[in-house]
Amino acid sequence: MVSELYPPDVGGSAVLFREIYSRVPVPITVLTTQRDHPPHPGPEELVRRPISTRRWGFVDPRALAHHFRVAREIRHLTPTREGVVHCGRALPEGVAAYLNRRMFGAPYACWTHGEDLASASSSRELSLLIRRVYAAAAIAFANSRNTAAMLKSMGLSDDRIVTVYPGVDATRFSPDTPGHLEIRRRFISQSGTLLLSVGRLQRRKGHDFAIQAMARLARKYDDLHYVIVGDGEERLRLEQLAQTCGVAGRVHFVGEVSATELPNYFSASDIFLLPNRIDNGDIEGFGIVFLEAASSGKPTVGGNSGGVPEAVTDGTTGLLVSGTDVDELVAVIGRLIDDTVLRVRLGRAGRQRVIQDFTWQRAAEIVWAAHENVARKDRW
C-alpha cells in the first residue's frame, strides 16, 4: 500500500485505509509519509519516506524526479511482479506505481474518492496523466456508485471497477459512549439541542450555510448550539461569518480532535449535519462521517450531491438538502429539532443500516478478493 495519507493523519481516506488494510489476511507493508509523531499501533509494517508532494504532473522536472524516487521505493518493497501495489490515489501515488509497472514491476490498483477526479479535470496536464494511470491500472477501487460512474465516463470497463463502501466500527461509534455527557455539558444544558459537523473546513462541506441557518434558528431556540470538529483553509472565513451573523457565541470551532475523543462528539450531539454542495467541480465522494453519525444513532442532514445519497438514505436514516438553499436547511433542521420521534426513528434506522451493510470487515473482504484476482491473473 502506498499512500501519503495514513494514521496518525486524520480524515476519511486515512481512516479508510487503516481500517481496511489492518483487516486483510496477510501482512501488509504501507509506504507512507514521514511524520514526527508515532503511528497508531497495528498489524501493518509502516515504511516512512518523504513521499508527499504538491507537484503531481510530469511537465515540472522536479515532479518527475519525485515520482521516480517513489517508484524506486515501490520497486524496493515489491522486487518481483508477484506483489500488487495498492495506491491511495491515482495522483500522485498512482504515477509512481505506473512508472514502476512500466519498468516491468508489479501490477497496481488505484483508490478513487470522487473529488480527486473532479480536481484533476481542472487541469489538462493532470487530466491526461490521470487517464494514463487508470489505463494501466489492473483495477480501480471506487468509494461509491457515483464515483464508479465517473470512472466509467473516463473509459474504464465495469470489470475493472470495484465499488467498496467505507465502513464503521459500530462498537466504537455508538449512541452512549463513556465521555459523551461531559462533551454535552460543555456546550448546552440538559434540555438544549446540539448540532454537529465533522470534517475538513472546505467550501464544499457547507459549514457556511449551516452557520447562516444557525443565525435564523437561534431566534426561535434559546439553547441551540453548533459544534464544528475539524480544521482547514476555511476556518478564518467561517469564524468571521459566525461573528457577522451574530452567533459567534453559539458556534464552537473545536479544531481536530483525537480518535479517542471523536466518538464522544457524535454521541453527544442531537443532529449531525454537513450540507455539502458541488463547489467548482469539487464534490463529496461519499462521506464516512455520515456513517459514523448514523452508527452513533443520530439523524443526519447531508447535501444531495456526489456520493452522499448513498451514505444517507433520504427519509429513512436522514434528510437530504440541496446545499444551496438556507431556507430549506432552516426548515429541515427545525423539523428535526421539533420532532423527537422522527429524530429517534432516523437514528435507529441509521445504526441498523450501518451494522447490516457497512462493516469494515465486509469492505476488507471485497478489497482482498479483488487483490487475489489481480495477483492470479498477473501470474498467468
Side-chain angles (χ1 to χ4, degrees), residues 20 23-25 164 359-371:
I20 288 180
R23 287 173 167 82
V24 296
V164 186
T359 66
W360 285 119
Q361 186 58 41
R362 180 174 179 269
E365 288 169 0
I366 294 171
V367 168
W368 184 247
H371 169 98

Side-chain angles (χ1 to χ4, degrees), residues 20 28 49 204 253 333 337:
I20 288 180
I28 294 292
R49 298 288 187 269
R204 67 175 163 85
F253 295 85
I333 296 173
I337 293 173

Side-chain angles (χ1 to χ4, degrees), residues 297-364:
K298 307 304 172 183
T300 55
V301 177
N304 191 12
S305 63
V308 174
E310 297 171 61
V312 179
T313 304
D314 190 27
T316 301
T317 69
L319 301 173
L320 294 175
V321 296
S322 65
T324 59
D325 186 339
V326 175
D327 290 338
E328 175 194 28
L329 184 57
V330 168
V332 166
I333 296 173
R335 178 186 173 195
L336 289 172
I337 293 173
D338 293 335
D339 194 338
T340 304
V341 173
L342 176 62
R343 291 206 311 269
V344 171
R345 177 172 64 80
L346 295 175
R348 285 177 177 171
R351 180 164 172 81
Q352 183 58 40
R353 181 173 181 245
V354 165
I355 293 171
Q356 180 176 318
D357 298 329
F358 293 96
T359 66
W360 285 119
Q361 186 58 41
R362 180 174 179 269

